[in-house]
CSV table of all heavy atoms in Angstrom, one decimal:
chain,number,residue,atom,x,y,z
Q,1,ILE,N,-63.9,33.2,-27.7
Q,1,ILE,CA,-64.6,33.0,-29.0
Q,1,ILE,C,-64.8,31.5,-29.2
Q,1,ILE,O,-65.9,31.1,-29.7
Q,1,ILE,CB,-63.7,33.5,-30.2
Q,1,ILE,CG1,-63.7,35.1,-30.1
Q,1,ILE,CG2,-64.2,33.1,-31.5
Q,1,ILE,CD1,-62.7,35.7,-31.1
Q,2,MET,N,-63.8,30.7,-28.9
Q,2,MET,CA,-64.0,29.2,-29.0
Q,2,MET,C,-65.1,28.7,-28.1
Q,2,MET,O,-65.9,27.9,-28.5
Q,2,MET,CB,-62.7,28.5,-28.7
Q,2,MET,CG,-62.7,27.0,-28.9
Q,2,MET,SD,-61.3,26.1,-28.2
Q,2,MET,CE,-61.5,26.4,-26.4
Q,3,LEU,N,-65.1,29.1,-26.9
Q,3,LEU,CA,-66.1,28.7,-25.9
Q,3,LEU,C,-67.5,29.0,-26.3
Q,3,LEU,O,-68.4,28.2,-26.3
Q,3,LEU,CB,-65.8,29.2,-24.5
Q,3,LEU,CG,-64.5,28.7,-23.8
Q,3,LEU,CD1,-64.3,29.5,-22.5
Q,3,LEU,CD2,-64.5,27.2,-23.6
Q,4,LYS,N,-67.6,30.3,-26.8
Q,4,LYS,CA,-68.9,30.7,-27.3
Q,4,LYS,C,-69.4,29.9,-28.5
Q,4,LYS,O,-70.6,29.6,-28.6
Q,4,LYS,CB,-68.8,32.2,-27.7
Q,4,LYS,CG,-70.2,32.8,-28.1
Q,4,LYS,CD,-70.1,34.3,-28.4
Q,4,LYS,CE,-71.4,34.8,-28.9
Q,4,LYS,NZ,-71.3,36.3,-29.2
Q,5,HIS,N,-68.5,29.5,-29.4
Q,5,HIS,CA,-68.8,28.7,-30.5
Q,5,HIS,C,-69.4,27.4,-30.1
Q,5,HIS,O,-70.4,26.9,-30.8
Q,5,HIS,CB,-67.6,28.5,-31.4
Q,5,HIS,CG,-67.8,27.6,-32.6
Q,5,HIS,ND1,-68.3,28.0,-33.8
Q,5,HIS,CD2,-67.6,26.2,-32.7
Q,5,HIS,CE1,-68.4,27.0,-34.6
Q,5,HIS,NE2,-68.0,25.9,-34.0
Q,6,PHE,N,-68.9,26.8,-29.0
Q,6,PHE,CA,-69.4,25.5,-28.5
Q,6,PHE,C,-70.4,25.7,-27.4
Q,6,PHE,O,-70.7,24.7,-26.7
Q,6,PHE,CB,-68.2,24.7,-28.1
Q,6,PHE,CG,-67.4,24.2,-29.2
Q,6,PHE,CD1,-66.1,24.7,-29.3
Q,6,PHE,CD2,-67.8,23.3,-30.2
Q,6,PHE,CE1,-65.2,24.3,-30.4
Q,6,PHE,CE2,-67.0,22.9,-31.2
Q,6,PHE,CZ,-65.7,23.4,-31.3
Q,7,GLU,N,-70.9,26.9,-27.2
Q,7,GLU,CA,-71.9,27.2,-26.2
Q,7,GLU,C,-71.5,26.8,-24.8
Q,7,GLU,O,-72.3,26.2,-24.1
Q,7,GLU,CB,-73.3,26.6,-26.6
Q,7,GLU,CG,-73.8,27.1,-28.0
Q,7,GLU,CD,-75.1,26.4,-28.4
Q,7,GLU,OE1,-75.5,25.4,-27.8
Q,7,GLU,OE2,-75.8,27.0,-29.3
Q,8,ILE,N,-70.3,27.2,-24.5
Q,8,ILE,CA,-69.7,26.9,-23.2
Q,8,ILE,C,-69.5,28.2,-22.5
Q,8,ILE,O,-68.9,29.1,-23.0
Q,8,ILE,CB,-68.4,26.1,-23.3
Q,8,ILE,CG1,-68.7,24.7,-23.9
Q,8,ILE,CG2,-67.8,25.9,-21.9
Q,8,ILE,CD1,-67.4,24.0,-24.2
Q,9,SER,N,-70.0,28.3,-21.3
Q,9,SER,CA,-69.9,29.6,-20.5
Q,9,SER,C,-69.1,29.2,-19.2
Q,9,SER,O,-69.6,28.5,-18.3
Q,9,SER,CB,-71.2,30.2,-20.1
Q,9,SER,OG,-71.1,31.3,-19.3
Q,10,LYS,N,-67.8,29.7,-19.1
Q,10,LYS,CA,-67.0,29.5,-18.0
Q,10,LYS,C,-66.2,30.7,-17.6
Q,10,LYS,O,-65.7,31.4,-18.5
Q,10,LYS,CB,-66.0,28.3,-18.3
Q,10,LYS,CG,-66.7,27.0,-18.4
Q,10,LYS,CD,-67.2,26.5,-17.1
Q,10,LYS,CE,-68.0,25.2,-17.2
Q,10,LYS,NZ,-68.5,24.7,-16.0
Q,11,PRO,N,-65.9,30.9,-16.4
Q,11,PRO,CA,-65.0,32.0,-16.0
Q,11,PRO,C,-63.6,31.7,-16.5
Q,11,PRO,O,-63.2,30.5,-16.5
Q,11,PRO,CB,-65.1,32.1,-14.5
Q,11,PRO,CG,-65.6,30.8,-14.1
Q,11,PRO,CD,-66.4,30.3,-15.2
Q,12,GLN,N,-62.8,32.8,-16.9
Q,12,GLN,CA,-61.5,32.6,-17.3
Q,12,GLN,C,-60.5,33.3,-16.5
Q,12,GLN,O,-60.8,34.4,-16.0
Q,12,GLN,CB,-61.3,33.0,-18.8
Q,12,GLN,CG,-62.1,32.2,-19.8
Q,12,GLN,CD,-61.7,32.6,-21.2
Q,12,GLN,OE1,-60.6,32.4,-21.7
Q,12,GLN,NE2,-62.7,33.3,-21.9
Q,13,VAL,N,-59.3,32.8,-16.4
Q,13,VAL,CA,-58.2,33.4,-15.7
Q,13,VAL,C,-57.1,33.6,-16.8
Q,13,VAL,O,-56.7,32.6,-17.4
Q,13,VAL,CB,-57.6,32.7,-14.5
Q,13,VAL,CG1,-56.3,33.3,-14.0
Q,13,VAL,CG2,-58.6,32.6,-13.4
Q,14,SER,N,-56.6,34.8,-17.0
Q,14,SER,CA,-55.6,35.1,-18.0
Q,14,SER,C,-54.3,34.4,-17.5
Q,14,SER,O,-53.8,34.6,-16.4
Q,14,SER,CB,-55.4,36.6,-18.2
Q,14,SER,OG,-54.3,36.8,-19.0
Q,15,PHE,N,-53.6,33.7,-18.4
Q,15,PHE,CA,-52.4,33.0,-18.0
Q,15,PHE,C,-51.5,32.9,-19.2
Q,15,PHE,O,-51.6,32.0,-20.1
Q,15,PHE,CB,-52.7,31.6,-17.5
Q,15,PHE,CG,-51.5,30.9,-16.8
Q,15,PHE,CD1,-51.0,31.3,-15.6
Q,15,PHE,CD2,-50.8,29.9,-17.5
Q,15,PHE,CE1,-49.9,30.7,-15.0
Q,15,PHE,CE2,-49.7,29.3,-16.9
Q,15,PHE,CZ,-49.3,29.7,-15.6
Q,16,TYR,N,-50.6,33.9,-19.4
Q,16,TYR,CA,-49.6,33.9,-20.5
Q,16,TYR,C,-48.2,34.2,-20.0
Q,16,TYR,O,-48.0,34.5,-18.8
Q,16,TYR,CB,-50.1,34.9,-21.6
Q,16,TYR,CG,-50.3,36.3,-21.1
Q,16,TYR,CD1,-49.3,37.3,-21.2
Q,16,TYR,CD2,-51.5,36.8,-20.5
Q,16,TYR,CE1,-49.4,38.6,-20.8
Q,16,TYR,CE2,-51.7,38.1,-20.1
Q,16,TYR,CZ,-50.6,39.0,-20.2
Q,16,TYR,OH,-50.8,40.3,-19.8
Q,17,GLU,N,-47.3,34.3,-20.9
Q,17,GLU,CA,-45.9,34.3,-20.5
Q,17,GLU,C,-45.6,35.5,-19.5
Q,17,GLU,O,-44.8,35.4,-18.6
Q,17,GLU,CB,-45.0,34.5,-21.7
Q,17,GLU,CG,-43.5,34.4,-21.5
Q,17,GLU,CD,-42.7,34.5,-22.7
Q,17,GLU,OE1,-43.2,34.5,-23.8
Q,17,GLU,OE2,-41.4,34.5,-22.6
Q,18,GLN,N,-46.2,36.7,-19.8
Q,18,GLN,CA,-45.8,37.9,-19.1
Q,18,GLN,C,-46.5,37.9,-17.7
Q,18,GLN,O,-46.1,38.7,-16.8
Q,18,GLN,CB,-46.2,39.1,-19.8
Q,18,GLN,CG,-45.2,39.5,-21.0
Q,18,GLN,CD,-45.3,38.5,-22.2
Q,18,GLN,OE1,-46.4,38.0,-22.4
Q,18,GLN,NE2,-44.3,38.3,-22.9
Q,19,ASN,N,-47.5,37.1,-17.5
Q,19,ASN,CA,-48.2,37.2,-16.1
Q,19,ASN,C,-48.2,35.8,-15.4
Q,19,ASN,O,-49.0,35.7,-14.4
Q,19,ASN,CB,-49.6,37.7,-16.3
Q,19,ASN,CG,-50.6,36.8,-16.9
Q,19,ASN,OD1,-50.3,35.6,-17.2
Q,19,ASN,ND2,-51.8,37.2,-17.1
Q,20,GLU,N,-47.5,34.9,-15.9
Q,20,GLU,CA,-47.5,33.5,-15.3
Q,20,GLU,C,-47.1,33.6,-13.8
Q,20,GLU,O,-47.8,33.0,-13.0
Q,20,GLU,CB,-46.5,32.6,-16.0
Q,20,GLU,CG,-47.0,32.0,-17.3
Q,20,GLU,CD,-46.0,31.0,-17.9
Q,20,GLU,OE1,-45.0,31.5,-18.5
Q,20,GLU,OE2,-46.2,29.8,-17.8
Q,21,LYS,N,-46.0,34.3,-13.5
Q,21,LYS,CA,-45.6,34.4,-12.1
Q,21,LYS,C,-46.7,35.0,-11.2
Q,21,LYS,O,-46.9,34.6,-10.0
Q,21,LYS,CB,-44.3,35.2,-11.9
Q,21,LYS,CG,-43.1,34.4,-12.5
Q,21,LYS,CD,-41.8,35.2,-12.3
Q,21,LYS,CE,-40.6,34.4,-12.8
Q,21,LYS,NZ,-39.4,35.2,-12.6
Q,22,LYS,N,-47.4,36.0,-11.7
Q,22,LYS,CA,-48.4,36.8,-11.0
Q,22,LYS,C,-49.6,35.9,-10.7
Q,22,LYS,O,-50.2,35.9,-9.6
Q,22,LYS,CB,-48.8,38.0,-11.7
Q,22,LYS,CG,-49.9,38.8,-11.0
Q,22,LYS,CD,-50.3,40.0,-11.9
Q,22,LYS,CE,-51.4,40.8,-11.3
Q,22,LYS,NZ,-51.8,42.0,-12.1
Q,23,HIS,N,-50.1,35.1,-11.7
Q,23,HIS,CA,-51.3,34.4,-11.6
Q,23,HIS,C,-51.1,32.9,-11.1
Q,23,HIS,O,-52.1,32.3,-10.8
Q,23,HIS,CB,-52.1,34.5,-12.9
Q,23,HIS,CG,-52.7,35.8,-13.2
Q,23,HIS,ND1,-53.4,36.1,-14.3
Q,23,HIS,CD2,-52.7,37.0,-12.5
Q,23,HIS,CE1,-53.8,37.3,-14.3
Q,23,HIS,NE2,-53.4,37.9,-13.2
Q,24,LEU,N,-49.9,32.5,-11.1
Q,24,LEU,CA,-49.6,31.1,-10.7
Q,24,LEU,C,-50.2,30.8,-9.3
Q,24,LEU,O,-50.9,29.8,-9.1
Q,24,LEU,CB,-48.1,30.8,-10.8
Q,24,LEU,CG,-47.7,29.3,-10.6
Q,24,LEU,CD1,-48.4,28.5,-11.7
Q,24,LEU,CD2,-46.2,29.3,-10.7
Q,25,PRO,N,-49.9,31.6,-8.3
Q,25,PRO,CA,-50.4,31.4,-6.9
Q,25,PRO,C,-51.9,31.3,-6.9
Q,25,PRO,O,-52.5,30.5,-6.1
Q,25,PRO,CB,-49.8,32.5,-6.1
Q,25,PRO,CG,-48.7,33.0,-6.8
Q,25,PRO,CD,-49.0,32.8,-8.3
Q,26,ARG,N,-52.6,32.2,-7.6
Q,26,ARG,CA,-54.0,32.2,-7.6
Q,26,ARG,C,-54.6,30.8,-8.2
Q,26,ARG,O,-55.5,30.3,-7.6
Q,26,ARG,CB,-54.5,33.3,-8.5
Q,26,ARG,CG,-56.1,33.4,-8.6
Q,26,ARG,CD,-56.5,34.5,-9.6
Q,26,ARG,NE,-57.9,34.5,-9.8
Q,26,ARG,CZ,-58.5,35.3,-10.7
Q,26,ARG,NH1,-57.8,36.1,-11.5
Q,26,ARG,NH2,-59.8,35.3,-10.8
Q,27,LEU,N,-54.0,30.3,-9.3
Q,27,LEU,CA,-54.5,29.1,-9.8
Q,27,LEU,C,-54.2,27.9,-8.9
Q,27,LEU,O,-55.0,27.0,-8.8
Q,27,LEU,CB,-53.9,28.9,-11.2
Q,27,LEU,CG,-54.3,29.8,-12.3
Q,27,LEU,CD1,-53.5,29.7,-13.6
Q,27,LEU,CD2,-55.8,29.6,-12.6
Q,28,ILE,N,-53.0,27.9,-8.3
Q,28,ILE,CA,-52.7,26.8,-7.4
Q,28,ILE,C,-53.6,26.9,-6.2
Q,28,ILE,O,-54.1,25.8,-5.7
Q,28,ILE,CB,-51.2,26.9,-6.9
Q,28,ILE,CG1,-50.3,26.7,-8.1
Q,28,ILE,CG2,-50.9,25.9,-5.8
Q,28,ILE,CD1,-50.4,25.3,-8.7
Q,29,GLY,N,-54.0,28.1,-5.7
Q,29,GLY,CA,-54.9,28.2,-4.6
Q,29,GLY,C,-56.3,27.6,-5.0
Q,29,GLY,O,-56.9,27.0,-4.2
Q,30,MET,N,-56.7,27.9,-6.2
Q,30,MET,CA,-58.0,27.3,-6.7
Q,30,MET,C,-58.0,25.8,-6.7
Q,30,MET,O,-58.9,25.1,-6.2
Q,30,MET,CB,-58.3,27.8,-8.1
Q,30,MET,CG,-58.7,29.3,-8.2
Q,30,MET,SD,-58.9,29.8,-9.9
Q,30,MET,CE,-59.5,31.5,-9.7
Q,31,LEU,N,-56.9,25.3,-7.2
Q,31,LEU,CA,-56.7,23.8,-7.2
Q,31,LEU,C,-56.7,23.2,-5.8
Q,31,LEU,O,-57.3,22.2,-5.6
Q,31,LEU,CB,-55.5,23.5,-8.0
Q,31,LEU,CG,-55.6,23.7,-9.6
Q,31,LEU,CD1,-54.2,23.8,-10.2
Q,31,LEU,CD2,-56.4,22.7,-10.3
Q,32,GLN,N,-56.0,23.8,-4.9
Q,32,GLN,CA,-55.9,23.3,-3.6
Q,32,GLN,C,-57.2,23.4,-2.8
Q,32,GLN,O,-57.4,22.6,-1.9
Q,32,GLN,CB,-54.8,24.1,-2.8
Q,32,GLN,CG,-53.4,23.8,-3.3
Q,32,GLN,CD,-52.3,24.6,-2.6
Q,32,GLN,OE1,-52.5,25.8,-2.3
Q,32,GLN,NE2,-51.2,24.0,-2.3
Q,33,ALA,N,-58.0,24.3,-3.3
Q,33,ALA,CA,-59.4,24.5,-2.7
Q,33,ALA,C,-60.4,23.5,-3.3
Q,33,ALA,O,-61.5,23.5,-2.9
Q,33,ALA,CB,-59.9,25.9,-2.9
Q,34,GLY,N,-59.9,22.6,-4.2
Q,34,GLY,CA,-60.8,21.6,-4.7
Q,34,GLY,C,-61.4,22.0,-6.1
Q,34,GLY,O,-62.2,21.2,-6.6
Q,35,GLN,N,-61.1,23.1,-6.6
Q,35,GLN,CA,-61.6,23.4,-7.9
Q,35,GLN,C,-60.9,22.7,-9.1
Q,35,GLN,O,-59.7,22.4,-9.0
Q,35,GLN,CB,-61.6,25.0,-8.2
Q,35,GLN,CG,-62.5,25.8,-7.3
Q,35,GLN,CD,-62.5,27.2,-7.7
Q,35,GLN,OE1,-61.6,28.0,-7.4
Q,35,GLN,NE2,-63.6,27.7,-8.3
C-alpha cells in the first residue's frame, strides 16, 4: 500500500518473526549475488 502510494513497483519478500529463519538464507543469497 505504501509503495503504491509513492508509485514504486518492486518485488517483495515476506520477512516477519514467524518466517525469519526460513527466508533468511534466501535474502542472504540475493545479497551475495550482488542484489
